Amino acid sequence: METNKIALITGATSGIGEATSKELAQLGYNTILTGRRSTRLNKLKQEIETTYQTEVLTLCFDIQDQQQTTYALNSIPTHWRNIDVLINNAGLAYGAEKIDEDAWDKWAQMLDTNVKGLLFLSKEVIKWMVQKKQGHIVNISSIAGINVYEGGSIYCASKHAVNAITKGMRIDLLKHNIKVTSVSPGMVETEFSLVRYDGNRDKANQVYRGITPLSAIDVAEAIVFVVSRPAHVNINDILIMPTQQADAYNTYRK
Ligand code: NDP
Ligand code: 8X3
């Protein structure tokens, strides 16, 4: 049991973030959970506190907004600032427009969430980790941070940026004893495709047609492995794929 350890998980209201919040609580972590949907945050807090008897602090804000993010982080009581693990998970793909099609608002939302949001939030947490000379940042990237596919240029760009930021963080934070890891999944069945296709369930279901995708728990278990290594061991990167998916271009559908 990791009693008294604290993890902050962004995007905890759904999918990978929600599953990771529960897995870490099961290990004994007290958790700070973030997202925009307050009803879901409150429900999750109640479920975790009841099931795992750990403490949960919820913060409801839009990570795209630097002022909201900084305000929310600064509202964290002092005894919660001793954050051991930060899971930068909040993110989305929005649409599948090609580069010559008009989708500026969607592109902005992806870049503002996946890249700028991750930076706004990390900046605050890193200050506290540097002070205590210890911490672990896990950035949720994607196979889209390695491959680029049709209709995915901006989402892929955002995850390529996450990979560059991860490498940069690892170098810059070396002297502060802060571990930095990226976890890059292939297809995971969450609300991700529903969000990408604006709530169109048929289109979302097509993504997983004929394959068994990863579940959010599969990814959460990889995250748990990463954060539970001994102090002198860091896992730099994990690429985790469904067995039926080799990369972003090659999927074997039954
Ligand atoms: P979900 O849509 O299920 O969850 C996304 C989470 O991000 C939600 O909790 C959502 O919370 C939060 N979020 C999105 N936008 C914002 C925002 N502006 N401010 C605050 N929180 C926000 O998707 P997944 O669990 O699948 O995605 C989690 C991460 O995993 C993402 O970074 C995604 O890119 C990555 N990923 C997903 C894969 C997949 O196939 N599913 C594969 C590879 C990587 P709320 O709406 O309440 O704000
Ligand atoms: C999500 C995986 O292949 O839809 O990051 O880009 S993919």
Side-chain angles (χ1 to χ4, degrees):
M1 290 284 279
E2 300 285 1
T3 319
N4 299 327
K5 283 202 173 181
I6 297 173
L8 190 159
I9 301 122
T10 70
T13 56
S14 169
I16 296 168
E18 181 181 345
T20 304
S21 305
K22 291 178 185 170
E23 291 284 329
L24 290 177
Q26 192 166 20
L27 277 185
Y29 277 83
N30 293 324
T31 47
I32 305 172
L33 309 181
T34 87
R36 289 165 301 179
R37 289 170 287 183
S38 59
T39 313
R40 287 199 185 196
L41 283 175
N42 293 338
K43 194 165 161 268
L44 186 60
K45 172 180 163 71
Q46 204 172 23
E47 184 187 339
I48 288 178
E49 287 182 341
T50 309
T51 311
Y52 305 109
Q53 272 84 49
T54 59
E55 289 178 44
V56 177
L57 179 73
T58 60
L59 298 174
C60 188
F61 61 94
D62 186 338
I63 207 167
Q64 296 175 85
D65 184 319
Q66 185 170 18
Q67 261 190 324
Q68 273 190 44
T69 305
T70 306
Y71 184 83
L73 270 280
N74 285 323
S75 77
I76 295 178
T78 318
H79 67 281
W80 275 97
R81 294 185 182 186
N82 208 18
I83 295 169
D84 298 282
V85 170
L86 165 62
I87 313 288
N88 277 318
N89 164 75
L92 79 164
Y94 191 15
E97 280 81 3
K98 301 187 183 66
I99 204 77
D100 57 325
E101 294 167 352
D102 184 16
W104 177 248
D105 288 351
K106 293 178 179 174
W107 295 349
Q109 190 169 335
M110 285 187 270
L111 294 169
D112 287 352
T113 308
N114 301 357
V115 184
K116 288 166 74 179
L118 181 149
L119 289 170
F120 296 153
L121 188 129
S122 299
K123 188 171 179 298
E124 301 301 318
V125 176
I126 285 168
K127 275 194 309 205
W128 300 327
M129 287 183 170
V130 164
Q131 273 170 18
K132 63 174 195 157
K133 288 254 170 237
Q134 186 252 319
H136 194 161
I137 300 170
V138 180
N139 293 331
I140 306 304
S141 184
S142 169
I143 184 65
I146 298 165
N147 301 151
V148 177
Y149 52 84
E150 190 179 50
S153 54
I154 307 305
Y155 178 64
C156 294
S158 76
K159 292 300 185 180
H160 276 65
V162 168
N163 288 349
I165 290 164
T166 300
K167 287 177 190 151
M169 281 180 169
R170 194 178 295 129
I171 296 162
D172 291 349
L173 299 177
L174 203 53
K175 65 176 179 294
H176 298 295
N177 190 38
I178 297 170
K179 300 183 188 187
V180 185
T181 299
S182 74
V183 173
S184 301
M187 281 185 224
V188 193
E189 193 164 13
T190 59
E191 292 178 10
F192 178 85
S193 294
L194 210 53
V195 170
R196 177 170 227 168
Y197 296 112
D198 242 338
N200 184 324
R201 200 163 283 281
D202 288 341
K203 277 193 178 174
N205 289 341
Q206 275 304 307
V207 174
Y208 313 109
R209 178 184 45 83
I211 76 153
T212 304
L214 297 172
S215 69
I217 293 172
D218 294 326
V219 181
E221 285 176 351
I223 295 169
V224 164
F225 174 78
V226 157
V227 302
S228 53
R229 294 310 86 211
H232 68 288
V233 178
N234 183 47
I235 308 289
N236 277 9
D237 304 297
I238 284 194
L239 175 59
I240 172 170
M241 304 294 288
T243 304
Q244 288 172 261
Q245 185 185 20
D247 52 31
Y249 321 112
N250 295 284
T251 304
Y252 177 69
R253 294 183 195 271
K254 287 189 180 146

